[in-house]
Amino acid sequence: NAGVTQTPKFQVLKTGQSMTLQCAQDMNHEYMSWYRQDPGMGLRLIHYSVGAGITDQGEVPNGYNVSRSTTEDFPLRLLSAAPSQTSVYFCASSVTGGFRGGYTFGSGTRLTVV
Amino acid sequence: GQQLNQSPQSMFIQEGEDVSMNCTSSSIFNTWLWYKQDPGEGPVLLIALYKAGELTSNGRLTAQFGITRKDSFLNISASIPSDVGIYFCAGQAGGTSYGKLTFGQGTILTVHP
């Protein structure tokens, strides 16, 4: 049981490049979310999903796309990277969406946009 | 959107001391969660609270769900060096916000041996 797996762990992009951050969970959790963490600002919700085929925007969705074709995977796409997207990105999953159990987080992807 | 104010921002304490931190919200939450983050890792759930007034313990950690549903408190007793890290509160409102967590800014805890 690997929990929540994020790849890559580190990435450097040039401004304007696109890429996909991968997230997979093996706990059969319905709820999955993407957060970004910036110094002094806690974690901010980018996009989330309450099940396969269902996604919705969080607090800071601009510049990011998501899709949820399977229960296990929830990739995050950066369409055209900007320096403001330099951050640490966390994927999380939950069986109940935070009620009765909370979210399990991956170990993060550290992204630098130059 | 919803805002969570977490305080203090940082704490420097001696091993063996007790620690208190809190979060306040401008709006009501149905669930309060407390997480700890070690360097280079994702947050790990410490305590979850589900109803107003609830007091829950996990070893040396005790957390409370405020009766107004707009605040929560975390206490750590008899701190040890491995308590070092960043502590986050997170709240979840109901209705259309179900499944979406709002996080506080974090409390950085340093424990001196």
Side-chain angles (χ1 to χ4, degrees):
Chain A
N1 187 342
V4 178
T5 302
Q6 290 186 238
T7 56
K9 291 190 181 299
F10 301 93
Q11 182 70 49
V12 177
L13 287 179
K14 293 183 178 180
T15 298
Q17 286 185 319
S18 63
M19 79 160 292
T20 299
L21 280 62
Q22 302 292 343
C23 176
Q25 53 91 8
D26 61 359
M27 298 173 284
N28 202 33
H29 285 174
E30 289 295 325
Y31 291 80
M32 295 187 75
S33 303
W34 275 102
Y35 292 84
R36 60 177 289 173
Q37 183 177 23
D38 302 294
M41 299 188 71
L43 285 83
R44 292 182 292 168
L45 181 64
I46 305 171
H47 286 285
Y48 72 108
S49 169
V50 300
I54 307 169
T55 64
D56 203 350
Q57 296 181 352
E59 181 184 356
V60 287
N62 293 339
Y64 308 94
N65 273 357
V66 293
S67 60
R68 184 97 179 270
S69 57
T70 68
T71 299
E72 294 78 19
D73 299 299
F74 191 42
L76 178 71
R77 297 182 190 84
L78 278 69
L79 309 173
S80 177
S84 61
Q85 294 179 304
T86 294
S87 188
V88 182
Y89 291 85
F90 288 100
C91 178
S93 74
S94 170
V95 64
T96 61
F99 183 71
R100 299 295 168 186
Y103 274 87
T104 299
F105 282 79
S107 58
T109 294
R110 285 145 186 82
L111 175 68
T112 301
V113 182
V114 297
Chain B
Q2 294 160 330
Q3 304 254 339
L4 281 185
N5 292 314
Q6 185 172 349
S7 64
Q9 291 186 359
S10 61
M11 302 183 73
F12 299 85
I13 63 172
Q14 292 293 128
E15 183 177 359
E17 290 183 356
D18 297 343
V19 173
S20 293
M21 59 191 78
N22 70 84
C23 272
T24 59
S25 169
S26 57
S27 55
I28 290 172
F29 284 108
N30 291 340
T31 302
W32 282 96
L33 306 170
W34 284 92
Y35 284 87
K36 183 192 178 199
Q37 184 179 30
D38 292 326
E41 298 295 328
V44 174
L45 182 66
L46 298 174
I47 292 179
L49 302 159
Y50 304 112
K51 60 180 181 181
E54 181 179 358
L55 185 70
T56 297
S57 293
N58 179 7
R60 294 178 294 105
L61 279 62
T62 301
Q64 185 163 24
F65 192 142
I67 58 173
T68 66
R69 296 168 63 193
K70 292 185 177 182
D71 56 7
S72 181
F73 305 87
L74 176 69
N75 295 315
I76 305 173
S77 63
S79 59
I80 59 178
S82 62
D83 290 335
V84 165
I86 306 176
Y87 291 79
F88 290 101
C89 61
Q92 179 187 248
T96 57
S97 296
Y98 193 76
K100 300 161 66 172
L101 296 183
T102 299
F103 280 81
Q105 306 96 318
T107 295
I108 302 172
L109 180 63
T110 303
V111 180
H112 294 287

